[in-house]
Amino acid sequence: MVDKLLEVKNLRVELQTKDGVVPVIDDLSFDLDYGESLSFVGESGCGKSMTALALMGLLPEKVGRIASGSIKFEGRQLANASSEDLRKIRGNEISMIFQEPMTSLNPVLSVGEQISEVLRLHQKMSVNSAWKRAEDLLDAVNIPDPKRRVHDYPFQMSGGQRQRVMIAMALACEPKILIADEPTTALDVTVQAQIFGLLKDLQTKTGTSIILITHDMGAVAQMARKMIVMYAGRPCEIGEVAQVIKTPQHPYTTGLISCVPHLDDAIIDANNRLSEIPGIVPSLREFGSNKCLFASRCKHQMEQCRAERPVLAQFSNKQAFACWKREIIDAG
Amino acid sequence: MKTFGLIVNRLVYAFVLLFAVLVLNFTLMHMAPGDVADTISQSMGGADEELLIEIRKDYGLDQPYYQQLVTYIGKVLRFDLGHSFFFNEPVSKLVLERVPATLLLVITAQILALLLGVVLGVYSARKPNGILSHFVTLFALFGYSAPVFWTGILLLIAFSLQIPLFPVAGMRDVTIEGNFWVHAIDVMKHMVLPVLTLASIFLALYSRLARATMIETLGTDFVRTARAKGLPERQVVYKHALRNSLSPVVTLAGLQFSAVVSGAVLVEAVFSWPGLGTLAFQSIIARDTPTILGILFFSALVVIIGNLLTDLALRFVDPRVGASK
């Protein structure tokens, strides 16, 4: 049997806090194929970024750890790999771009140095050929005049350009997986569209798989084929993007989708208020308790929701959700 | 080109500044009570009013203030710092004779403190709750709060008297004969204690600052990026984080240049180190105005050169400095 590109099974990540050990990722399973794109969606603090850090082996030292479960990358177990093995995979076979392009590049090194450094490290390229390749990469991410700009420092570039440099850096070694953690949150809307366009372009060219972490439903619809909705460290709905957006099953997913304003709504009904999900995310202390963590904010809550954690159950062949209310909930 | 412009710009400022320092120093010294005539009369066991006037006339001290000032500045412009009343030698010769000893002491102490301070700071920043980190904090606090002369005397008692490892005072042993290396080793032996004493203040400052800035830098986004690239920890710390933490340390080191004279005075006095500090001490006691002025002028010069070097070093460390117009 051919190994999957990435296979995550029953992953549990725990953080050490003042109030004790908290499971910030609680029983997460998913897999990713070559060239596929997957999206994690959810509010702040739902465990999206922690998932990315766990995959990269970059959980905060001494505070976070993978408590159980497995992360298999092309058959190799990453969950308890040595830091040296993980280091060789990071930036090479799995790489990552971050939310803050303004601060994610080293201010005192030229962008050429920051890109070619990865190539020298992982591909054992010479100084000259790595530099040449850095120029090509800047060209590939549509930075004009790459031969000159490669000598620039980050402070000489705009936010969008810096994020392009981050992308060039992340794709330098042609990784099999690119993790993009809210790559456009800090950028304005027109630049967002450009960055997503660029990512899609590069994906078709290089065949890399993308894991997109976002809270922006629009970005998900544009970028990903599969999506996982996370709430309080738990997956609450998994499925094909088109299907989930059309027929969301979990009340939280329904809520998230109805929060997105529609252009025609506003025209038809001027008084139509933007909907929101009432309440707030539960505190870390409640994480891991045996109940539905969304129950307190859910209009469909029942006795059972507060007594037992709902299991993730298959709904149709490609959609699964974790809710006790099994019959189809109509969107209203 | 930008760097060249900076140097020219700074030299112009330096000239203006030196002039101001000269006028200010001279005025302050003129206002201070007592002059060389008092010292001479004291050493003679007292003199009458007539003799004092005679002495003042000899040294040109009877002339009005502005005339003395103009004469002095005119001399300085011709690189003449005047003649020492007390040592009976040209001031420039006196100062230049003492400069190498002081520079040797201060620069060695500075470099030692800078290297050790940064290494200790980085090390303790990586393990902020480790034993070494607490030790560095404690040591820094001690080094910073203990007066230098006290540290110096303690070191003397410990390593010159109780355990006679190092000589008690001076810079060289006149009884030793031999080639250059024999003398060099002799000077080094004499240097150990004064350098350690002087370095202890600087070390305290640098290690605290390096620790604080490193802790901050290690938490930044670009350090996370460096880790995400799969760089070995050594490169993450020394290539990516350290260079970003150096600016404050370099700035502080530049400011400490002014301690060339001030900090060294006490240390030189404790160890009878034949440098500028000892000279300053002696000339102040003797009210030897030209020598004091000469030393002040020279220390202003050192501070200005130090600041210029700091500016250049900062440009080297951080490309953002001077880039924005």
Side-chain angles (χ1 to χ4, degrees), chain B residues 14-36:
Chain B
F15 193 78
V16 176
L17 195 61
L18 271 179
F19 185 80
V21 166
L22 217 55
V23 173
L24 193 68
N25 282 344
F26 188 88
T27 310
L28 285 174
M29 288 307 294
H30 191 84
M31 281 160 65
D35 60 14
V36 71

Side-chain angles (χ1 to χ4, degrees), chain A residues 6-41:
Chain A
L6 185 69
E7 205 171 3
V8 175
K9 274 220 172 82
N10 307 105
L11 181 67
R12 183 182 169 94
V13 172
E14 291 177 348
L15 277 195
Q16 187 73 47
T17 69
K18 267 182 236 152
D19 300 324
V21 176
V22 170
V24 284
I25 298 173
D26 195 352
D27 199 14
L28 173 68
S29 304
F30 67 94
D31 47 41
L32 183 68
D33 262 334
Y34 289 91
E36 196 180 37
S37 40
L38 168 71
S39 190
F40 280 90
V41 191

